[in-house]
Amino acid sequence: MQAIQVSQVGGPEVLTAVDLPVPSPKSNEAVIQIKAAGVNFIDVYFREGRYPAQLPFVNGQEGAGVVKEIGSDVTTLQPGDRVAYTSALGSYAEYAAVPASRLVKIPDELDFEEAAAAMLQGMTAHYLLYSSYKLQSGETALIHAAAGGVGLLLVQMAKKIGARVIGTAGTHDKAQLARDAGADECIVYTESDFEVETKRLTDGNGVHVVYDGVGKATFDRDLDVLRPRGYLVLFGGSSGAVPPFDLIKLSQKGSLFITRPTLGHYTATREELEWRANDVLQMIVRGDLKLRIHKTYPLAEAAQAHRDLEGRKTTGKLLLIP
Ligand code: NDP
């Protein structure tokens, strides 16, 4: 089978198309024929070595496809089932062996591309808004990179909750997309200082919560746009990792809270995974959550997909099609 392997960490060029044997399932696994694989920023971190993995590895954390074979202990699935998953390495491939406990069935109304686009970024938006900081109707949230994959989903879900949403985006076109998704305001933070603008838009009061997946470039000013006892949910670093931080600043800037969550800890049990996945998939079925698929690439063009994602050229979801 064709797969995109990383045998040494580095830039997009280390994503190499190789021919590997089709995997066999362990007793708790199912082998999935991948119909669509999601591209996510976490794949960049793995490729760069920012998140370590044993080399060589097949990249990719998200996929949708058809069950081809099940391990001897698997009772919940059968060959032919349409399934989707996230948080298991190896989806940039024609086949992947995945623990059955990570797989969820795709509703009949959704196709493989929609399911692959929904799992990682959709469940991330869900846990950030419903669990990391439980956003309430009437509160104000600042959402960075609001036209990105996670960003567009965060904006829509935050509006459904009834919050006021201020987004940020790198270009005017992206800002318009964020507004189309429901953002009340969107600051072009490459041109205007988002700290000044956020304070202006909140009459100097600041926001209740910042959802920040940009990291290094935005972190310091996040602390200045929060109201006292506000919450910074730092969930990624697309601009780079945040350097070590002196906790006394949290006191000085208003008894603030910071959390640095990750999806795995918010989908750790089967019950929690099913709750979030079903919530997200049903929101899409009902039309309450719109997916924006930026582009689908042939599997062999994974490196180009990474270049586009890292180059800030994308809005919404990128998919690889084996
Ligand atoms: P996006 O589609 O949001 O792409 C990243 C965006 O970050 C860019 O489009 C760009 O938007 C913005 N950005 C700002 N500065 C830079 C920079 N220097 N280089 C590149 N991009 C920059 O990606 P995803 O939706 O896949 O992921 C968003 C973030 O969420 C990532 O940090 C990712 O790691 C994180 N994440 C965390 C999870 C968790 O559980 N903790 C789970 C899923 C994702 P603009 O041009 O508008 O600034």
Side-chain angles (χ1 to χ4, degrees):
M1 66 164 188
Q2 194 186 36
I4 303 297
Q5 203 175 49
V6 175
S7 50
Q8 58 174 39
V9 296
E13 69 283 354
V14 304
L15 295 168
T16 311
V18 294
D19 197 24
L20 296 176
V22 174
S24 299
K26 296 197 187 102
S27 60
N28 65 332
E29 289 178 339
V31 171
I32 312 304
Q33 182 180 14
I34 304 286
K35 300 287 192 182
V39 177
N40 295 285
F41 231 93
I42 193 172
D43 308 342
V44 173
Y45 306 149
F46 270 85
R47 192 205 70 214
E48 289 174 335
R50 214 193 297 182
Y51 290 180
Q54 201 184 340
L55 297 167
F57 64 90
V58 175
N59 210 349
Q61 298 265 350
E62 180 179 42
V66 179
V67 174
K68 280 291 150 193
E69 197 183 343
I70 54 172
S72 54
D73 294 342
V74 176
T75 55
T76 50
L77 294 164
Q78 49 192 20
D81 283 347
R82 298 165 74 247
V83 290
Y85 70 95
T86 183
S87 306
L89 196 58
S91 64
Y92 289 8
E94 288 179 277
Y95 295 88
V98 181
S101 62
R102 302 302 309 168
L103 293 164
V104 296
K105 291 195 183 159
I106 302 173
D108 292 341
E109 296 88 342
L110 301 187
D111 63 27
F112 293 115
E113 293 187 7
E114 291 169 316
M119 292 298 288
L120 195 151
Q121 294 173 340
M123 289 200 293
T124 297
H126 190 277
Y127 88 75
L128 292 174
L129 293 171
Y130 290 99
S131 304
S132 287
Y133 174 81
K134 199 166 169 22
L135 186 63
Q136 305 290 336
S137 178
E139 291 184 336
T140 303
L142 178 67
I143 297 175
H144 285 306
V150 177
L152 284 171
L153 301 175
L154 273 174
V155 168
Q156 294 176 70
M157 285 190 206
K159 286 309 297 176
K160 284 270 173 299
I161 289 170
R164 178 180 181 213
V165 172
I166 303 173
T168 63
T171 67
H172 288 274
D173 287 348
K174 288 184 176 185
Q176 189 56 47
L177 277 176
R179 280 188 219 103
D180 292 346
D184 298 281
E185 322 273 352
C186 193
I187 303 162
V188 180
Y189 59 176
T190 46
E191 291 181 2
S192 314
D193 184 334
F194 78 82
E195 180 189 336
V196 173
E197 285 301 298
T198 306
K199 283 186 180 150
R200 184 181 67 77
L201 291 166
T202 56
D203 299 326
N205 292 319
V207 298
H208 295 84
V209 56
V210 179
Y211 294 101
D212 185 355
V214 172
K216 191 176 176 185
T218 43
F219 177 81
D220 284 336
R221 280 172 293 162
D222 289 346
L223 303 175
D224 292 319
V225 302
L226 285 166
R227 57 181 65 199
R229 293 160 55 177
Y231 231 95
L232 170 52
V233 181
L234 177 73
F235 64 96
S238 60
S239 68
V242 173
F245 172 74
D246 184 354
L247 287 173
I248 195 67
K249 285 190 188 164
L250 296 182
S251 150
Q252 292 163 345
K253 289 180 186 279
S255 300
L256 304 176
F257 296 84
I258 298 186
T259 181
R260 177 56 178 92
T262 194
L263 176 62
H265 296 131
Y266 285 88
T267 50
T269 64
R270 181 73 200 170
E271 195 183 12
E272 195 166 16
L273 171 68
E274 282 187 9
W275 166 45
R276 296 195 198 283
N278 290 334
D279 253 22
V280 170
L281 294 171
Q282 287 307 321
M283 281 184 217
I284 299 165
V285 168
R286 288 196 305 271
D288 288 343
L289 187 64
K290 301 257 185 301
L291 296 168
R292 177 182 170 83
I293 298 185
H294 171 81
K295 190 168 170 184
T296 57
Y297 302 73
L299 182 60
E301 290 177 18
Q304 188 57 46
H306 276 219
R307 283 189 196 99
D308 292 348
L309 183 63
E310 288 171 84
R312 302 174 77 165
K313 293 193 183 123
T314 66
T315 52
K317 188 73 198 177
L318 285 68
L319 294 171
L320 300 177
I321 309 297

